[in-house]
Amino acid sequence: MAGNLIISLHGPSVHIVRQCGPALGDILHSKFGCTAIIEEVASGSVPSLVPQKTVVSEKRFAGVLSAGIKLSVWKDDLTNVCVDAVVNAANDKLQHWGGLAQALSSRGGPQIQQDSNDYIRQKGDLKTGDAIVCAAGLLPCKKIIHAVGPSLTANPSKYEISKAKPLLQKAIRSILDRVKENHLKTVAIPAISSGLFNFPLPLCADTIVSTVKEYYENSDRQYLPEEILLVNNDDPTVKEMERACCELLSHKTYSEVAGAGAGEGAAKSSTPTVQFGNIQLTLKWGRIEEQETDVIVNSTSSDRNLSYGVVSKALLKKAGAEMQRELHRAKPKGKVIITKGYSLKCKEVFHTFDLSTREVLFKSVLDCLCIAVSNKHRSIAFPAIGTGGYGLSKTQVTDVMTEAVKEFAKKSLPTFEVHFVIFPSEVDTYKAFETAMRSFQQKAPDPGFTQALEHRDHFPVSKPAAPQISLYGSPESRLEAERWLWCLFHSSHRVTIRNNFILCFGEEEYLQLTRLSTKETIDIKESFDKGHADITVNGDSHEEIVVAALQVEAMLCNIQREFVREEERAMLPFSTEKVTFERTPVDVRDVLFSERASVLIKEGLCMLKLEKVENPTLRKMFDAKKQQLQCSTHRNMFQLIPSQFCEMVSHIGFHAEYAPPADPAYGEGIYFAGTVRKAMEVWKERNETYLYLVEAEVLTGNSTPGRPGLILPVVGTHPQIFDSVSGGPDLSVIFSGYQALPKYIITCTVA
């Protein structure tokens, strides 16, 4: 990442972002790999349509069930929890008139109640103990599960309670059934039937915890989620959930949120964890070189010598000398230099330097966080940087680092973990951080994280004068995202979305399109012409058109994520653990770079970046396909794809949805061009600022001429099965993505 790009918001765009901020951030991340930081959209005179978070999230318990599933207890606002699904305590008619149901319906927008009305109209009232899955609207989760628990009278008798308990157990089991059926990884469950429904709170907590425990003890293990979160926003309920977990789960099935004993001086009190929006900040004892986060942060000297400083020496010893050699070669990004992790248990190390003032330290921490998210990492570990030879006191470092995380968390971001890791002997440093984090746990932050920092004047981060979006990512991704946003915000009465994953829409997606089309001011049309699927949104209101278009884009993001998950599951037999891949930039001085750059120059293109793709699982599948086809050789061929599919092709290989040609005259398969020039002809309807060529090894095998409409290679007159079809010497079409292996992604522009 080489910095950020700021887009000012004016007039209608402010209202659009207010309604769709979280969805817009997700879309920008999915389409362009950009992290979008949305600022000051709630400060105008028009009230925000998306209520902002007003309490700090706090984890009160964390454990692991016997099936390996995490179970945690949280004090939090369920309307702001970022999980795959949240559970609503619903009534049998799905009328969300009060309590949690009303809060979720208000936060999620009119779609929540409309979906519920549609369900009741089509299938009738729910029964007590039932649970159904619906779209989450504007909630920051994928799904909402409406569950009907028992409703008791104001002062229920023991007999009434005894009748209600099995119904509550049934409701919890129904929720977990829906989790399994929809392959949800995380679900947040409130204290169903307590509160407005009058189920006694202590028994409610015991019933929920014991039912979750028993469900997974007796599960067939065909699908298991990653975590069950028990989430409530009031202290009495949270304390009862915490008590129930401690009493009903044995020591063999859970571990409390306590100091894990990172050697001498391990924590004797619970580990401070604070949730700022989507950012979870945890303080822990430990050695920085032993952390298993995606990123580890190091503070080094300006001469980049890792032999100086306690943290640098520890990382160097663990990582090996190659990290030192790369550090000398690497180019800094501001005050951050990035190297690989080598023998460390992380993907990358961010080296910071010259942390001589509070201002520089603040910016360095903030830069590390932004770069990590932009590089699609999910977690980062910081030592107490700045407390060594830079002259900053422990209190100063504590204040600056925690405020930097808080500032970062004000933005619209994906879920992310930040760890402050304190060496076991640094008791005073740990206490300073602990005091700061306890204070955050005990008091609510500024509403929506939009107010100025208490010590803002000390830091070089000024409050924007107007609403804006800051885009973090590569220069190419930032400019592509800016161009897309400009076209979206300046569209008049029509927005067209071209994406062949529209063909993967199911009943739920078409139901959402139908609901959007029922508005008098909106008209949505789907078309499929020459192998290209389009959705066009028309209407009289610019704001409503763009909001509807963003809802369609959000559906496509979810469809693509599910597509990747399904492909990963299909690829698992060829992978020892999980499907992993790397996109490694090739140095401009490398002969590989110069060879490909010279080819592109002849075609009027300038190569900006060459990335090598390495995916061991795809390689195994490609080799297996080579044996199956009895094909000893491959062709080096090219495909021109939109930027949003570069990550997918690296992860799960080639699919026809990525790059349909301008004219699929030779079949409905996956097209490859033998030369760059031919690729420019096949995919001539490209209008992006940058072009993304994928160079691949392709198994064409036995080939025959193609024709329109083919979905599989034709069978010859003799008992011969062809492996591909052709459209001439420089064009091949395959019908199995495993016949092609991505090798390089080339980013270029017209010279």
Side-chain angles (χ1 to χ4, degrees):
M1 190 194 78
N4 69 320
L5 185 153
I6 295 174
I7 300 171
S8 297
L9 301 174
H10 305 282
S13 63
V14 177
H15 297 262
I16 292 164
V17 174
R18 281 178 179 163
Q19 296 181 68
C20 305
L24 180 59
D26 183 46
I27 292 164
L28 289 167
H29 201 260
S30 176
K31 285 178 74 72
F32 305 105
C34 271
T35 297
I37 295 179
I38 301 171
E39 302 180 89
E40 297 302 308
V41 294
S43 60
S45 58
V46 180
S48 170
L49 297 180
V50 182
Q52 301 296 313
K53 194 166 188 171
T54 59
V55 295
V56 170
S57 170
E58 182 182 352
K59 183 188 286 188
R60 296 287 185 84
F61 175 94
V64 180
L65 298 173
S66 57
I69 301 164
K70 296 177 183 177
L71 178 67
S72 55
V73 174
W74 292 80
K75 181 181 180 183
D76 203 353
D77 179 354
L78 198 69
T79 67
N80 285 288
V81 175
C82 295
V83 287
D84 280 1
V86 296
V87 174
N88 173 37
N91 55 44
D92 57 354
K93 297 184 184 300
L94 296 183
Q95 293 301 300
H96 311 306
W97 48 266
L100 174 63
Q102 185 179 40
L104 288 167
S105 182
S106 298
R107 170 68 169 86
Q111 183 180 357
I112 301 295
Q113 187 61 66
Q114 191 170 354
D115 284 357
S116 300
N117 294 342
D118 290 346
Y119 183 92
I120 296 298
R121 185 171 57 254
Q122 294 171 17
K123 299 188 179 181
D125 294 356
L126 295 175
K127 297 178 181 179
T128 303
D130 286 350
I132 65 166
V133 178
C134 290
L138 295 174
L139 291 167
C141 56
K142 298 176 183 176
K143 304 288 184 182
I144 183 169
I145 301 175
H146 299 290
V148 182
S151 179
L152 289 73
T153 59
N155 295 295
S157 65
K158 289 184 179 179
Y159 176 77
E160 187 180 0
I161 294 170
S162 68
K163 289 289 186 181
K165 181 179 176 181
L167 295 173
L168 179 56
Q169 292 172 321
K170 181 183 177 183
I172 299 301
R173 287 193 292 267
S174 295
I175 291 166
L176 301 179
D177 285 342
R178 303 296 88 75
V179 169
K180 179 171 64 175
E181 291 165 3
N182 290 271
H183 287 85
L184 302 172
K185 292 183 178 180
T186 51
V187 60
I189 305 175
I192 293 173
S193 289
S194 66
L196 294 175
F197 295 91
N198 300 311
F199 197 104
L201 181 56
L203 181 59
C204 176
D206 289 344
T207 303
I208 291 173
V209 173
S210 61
T211 305
V212 171
K213 176 190 174 188
E214 290 164 9
Y215 184 93
Y216 289 113
E217 283 179 345
N218 301 317
S219 171
D220 56 16
R221 307 290 176 98
Q222 288 183 353
Y223 176 81
L224 297 174
E226 293 178 0
E227 184 172 8
I228 308 295
L229 297 84
L230 306 178
V231 181
N232 297 276
N233 66 356
D234 63 299
D235 265 321
T237 305
V238 174
K239 287 179 180 178
E240 284 298 329
M241 287 294 177
E242 186 179 8
R243 173 201 57 76
C245 286
C246 292
E247 291 181 1
L248 297 175
L249 304 181
S250 69
H251 289 287
K252 292 182 180 180
T253 58
Y254 82 94
S255 57
E256 291 185 65
V257 181
E264 63 274 23
K268 296 180 176 61
S269 59
S270 61
T271 301
T273 300
V274 179
Q275 193 85 16
F276 297 118
N278 286 352
I279 310 302
Q280 179 179 297
L281 173 61
T282 301
L283 174 66
K284 61 192 290 189
W285 297 97
R287 300 175 184 273
I288 192 67
E289 69 272 19
E290 299 296 335
Q291 301 312 302
E292 299 184 16
T293 49
D294 287 350
V295 176
I296 290 176
V297 177
N298 175 38
S299 58
T300 187
S301 59
S302 57
D303 64 0
R304 309 189 188 187
N305 191 336
L306 295 177
S307 298
Y308 298 107
V310 175
V311 172
S312 289
K313 286 194 287 188
L315 292 173
L316 177 62
K317 182 178 179 181
K318 180 80 172 180
E322 187 57 37
M323 187 170 73
Q324 176 68 83
R325 288 191 280 272
E326 185 184 358
L327 183 61
H328 283 310
R329 298 191 305 265
K331 294 180 179 179
K333 296 180 177 180
K335 291 287 185 181
V336 179
I337 303 174
I338 302 175
T339 67
K340 295 178 184 177
Y342 296 100
S343 297
L344 297 167
K345 299 174 184 178
C346 63
K347 296 177 181 177
E348 291 183 330
V349 179
F350 291 0
H351 303 267
T352 61
F353 51 94
D354 290 341
L355 307 176
S356 53
T357 66
R358 291 162 58 94
E359 290 79 9
V360 173
L361 175 59
F362 182 86
K363 188 176 187 306
S364 294
V365 174
L366 200 58
D367 283 350
C368 286
L369 293 167
C370 290
I371 294 170
V373 172
S374 295
N375 289 357
K376 300 186 178 180
H377 295 309
R378 304 300 297 272
S379 57
I380 189 169
F382 288 90
I385 57 175
T387 56
Y390 293 110
L392 297 176
S393 69
K394 293 177 175 60
T395 302
Q396 288 176 319
V397 169
T398 298
D399 290 344
V400 173
M401 291 182 67
T402 51
E403 290 289 6
V405 175
K406 182 181 175 185
E407 172 71 11
F408 181 65
K410 292 178 182 179
K411 325 305 180 185
S412 179
L413 298 163
T415 304
F416 191 74
E417 295 181 8
V418 181
H419 299 263
F420 287 166
V421 182
I422 311 302
F423 191 72
S425 63
E426 296 290 335
V427 178
D428 291 343
T429 304
Y430 185 92
K431 287 181 177 178
F433 276 98
E434 185 178 39
T435 300
M437 292 181 63
R438 295 291 181 204
S439 69
F440 282 126
Q441 289 177 330
Q442 292 166 6
K443 64 181 181 181
D446 304 318
F449 294 106
T450 58
Q451 303 300 315
L453 288 175
E454 197 172 320
H455 303 292
R456 176 73 67 124
D457 292 339
H458 295 302
F459 306 120
V461 180
S462 58
K463 185 175 180 179
Q468 65 181 39
I469 299 176
S470 296
L471 296 175
Y472 288 84
S474 69
E476 301 82 31
S477 64
R478 295 198 310 267
L479 289 174
E480 292 278 21
E482 180 193 30
R483 183 173 181 269
W484 179 78
L485 283 170
W486 191 93
C487 293
L488 190 69
F489 290 148
H490 291 82
S491 58
S492 54
H493 300 294
R494 173 181 297 180
V495 173
T496 299
I497 299 164
R498 170 162 287 191
N499 187 328
N500 271 26
F501 278 97
I502 292 169
L503 302 175
C504 299
F505 276 7
E507 181 180 350
E508 182 179 322
E509 287 75 29
Y510 280 113
L511 189 60
Q512 291 186 56
L513 288 178
T514 302
R515 282 194 293 268
L516 289 172
S517 299
T518 56
K519 296 181 179 180
E520 294 181 2
T521 55
I522 293 293
D523 178 46
I524 295 179
K525 293 182 178 178
E526 182 184 358
S527 63
F528 185 75
D529 181 50
K530 287 190 174 182
H532 292 268
D534 294 337
I535 286 179
T536 302
V537 184
N538 295 281
D540 299 324
S541 167
H542 168 69
E543 287 184 29
E544 290 189 7
I545 290 170
V546 176
V547 169
L550 286 172
Q551 287 181 273
V552 175
E553 290 280 12
M555 284 192 280
L556 284 165
C557 288
N558 287 330
I559 286 288
Q560 288 165 201
R561 275 191 288 265
E562 184 57 35
F563 187 87
V564 170
R565 284 194 289 266
E566 290 292 336
E567 286 300 311
E568 275 193 312
R569 284 191 280 270
M571 294 164 69
L572 282 177
F574 291 86
S575 179
T576 54
E577 293 182 4
K578 60 181 181 178
V579 180
T580 61
F581 67 94
E582 288 188 5
R583 286 170 58 184
T584 308
V586 176
D587 193 285
V588 294
R589 296 165 293 187
D590 195 302
V591 65
L592 291 172
F593 193 101
S594 58
E595 285 177 351
R596 282 156 181 79
S598 62
V599 171
L600 291 172
I601 285 288
K602 295 175 183 177
E603 304 302 333
L605 300 174
C606 175
M607 187 165 75
L608 304 175
K609 186 191 299 182
L610 177 66
E611 296 172 284
K612 185 176 182 180
V613 178
E614 294 181 286
N615 187 320
T617 306
L618 286 179
R619 167 56 75 181
K620 289 180 182 177
M621 300 178 80
F622 180 76
D623 290 342
K625 196 69 177 177
K626 184 183 290 186
Q627 289 185 348
Q628 179 190 349
L629 301 181
Q630 297 181 342
C631 183
S632 59
T633 60
H634 65 263
R635 292 186 64 187
N636 283 331
M637 306 191 79
F638 298 92
Q639 192 177 81
L640 193 59
I641 66 174
S643 60
Q644 65 174 309
F645 297 130
C646 289
E647 196 78 359
M648 288 179 71
V649 77
S650 304
H651 191 167
I652 57 171
F654 291 96
H655 292 274
E657 289 82 357
Y658 303 162
D663 182 8
Y666 306 102
E668 303 297 326
I670 307 169
Y671 280 63
F672 286 93
T675 64
V676 172
R677 177 175 297 180
K678 188 64 177 180
M680 299 296 288
E681 292 176 10
V682 173
W683 292 279
K684 59 186 176 183
E685 295 183 8
R686 307 238 51 88
N687 56 7
E688 287 94 342
T689 307
Y690 300 97
L691 302 175
Y692 301 88
L693 284 159
V694 185
E695 182 180 334
E697 297 177 6
V698 183
L699 301 172
T700 55
N702 294 321
S703 188
T704 188
R707 63 172 184 264
L710 281 178
I711 59 173
L712 289 171
V714 296
V715 178
T717 52
H718 304 292
Q720 179 184 19
I721 298 176
F722 292 102
D723 306 316
S724 67
V725 299
S726 65
D730 286 333
L731 183 65
S732 291
V733 185
I734 61 174
F735 297 85
S736 168
Y738 303 147
Q739 285 177 236
L741 180 70
K743 294 297 293 178
Y744 297 98
I745 293 177
I746 303 167
T747 304
C748 54
T749 188
V750 177

